[in-house]
């Protein structure tokens, strides 16, 4: 699998705002690893998407509280689509 964080991937960094976690590429959401209201830590894997037979683990860009999970497991997502929203800092 490939780990992606907002700080390590320039493409994602351009699309990533601190108030959300977005898909770095089109794919299928295979796991959501957080719940609404949960406190998450920067770097914690929150979702896994599959694209071209590869799993990509998506990490929280900062310590935050999950405000909303915008997709369900099994959903097809587009590049830059919001997966998880965070409470404002």
């Amino acid at each position: 699998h490939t780990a992606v964080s907002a700080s390590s991937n320039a493409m994602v960094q351009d699309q990533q705002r601190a108030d959300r976690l977005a898909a770095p590429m089109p794919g299928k959401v295979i796991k959501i690893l957080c719940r609404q209201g949960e406190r998450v830590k920067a770097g914690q894997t929150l979702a896994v998407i599959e694209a071209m037979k590869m799993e990509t683990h998506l990490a929280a860009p900062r310590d935050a509280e999950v405000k909303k999970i915008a997709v369900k497991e099994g959903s097809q997502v587009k590049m830059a689509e919001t997966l998880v929203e965070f409470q404002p800092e």
Side-chain angles (χ1 to χ4, degrees):
H1 74 267
T2 305
V4 174
S5 72
S7 60
S8 68
N9 184 318
M11 181 184 79
V12 175
Q13 199 167 24
D14 289 343
Q15 296 160 1
Q16 193 73 62
R17 302 191 319 254
D19 64 349
R20 70 184 188 119
L21 181 68
M25 65 195 77
K28 180 180 180 180
V29 178
I30 56 173
K31 289 184 193 154
I32 298 291
L33 302 170
C34 60
R35 296 179 316 278
Q36 187 171 328
E38 182 179 351
R39 293 285 312 163
V40 296
K41 297 280 188 193
Q44 178 180 335
T45 300
L46 303 183
V48 181
I49 64 171
E50 183 181 74
M52 299 180 295
K53 306 290 184 203
M54 287 183 55
E55 288 187 6
T56 301
H57 291 231
L58 304 176
R62 64 176 172 89
D63 291 359
E65 181 180 331
V66 176
K67 177 179 175 181
K68 178 183 173 187
I69 298 173
V71 295
K72 292 183 173 25
E73 289 182 359
S75 300
Q76 291 291 329
V77 294
K78 297 182 285 243
M79 186 166 143
E81 186 170 335
T82 298
L83 307 176
V84 179
E85 293 178 21
F86 304 111
Q87 294 291 355
E89 291 186 76

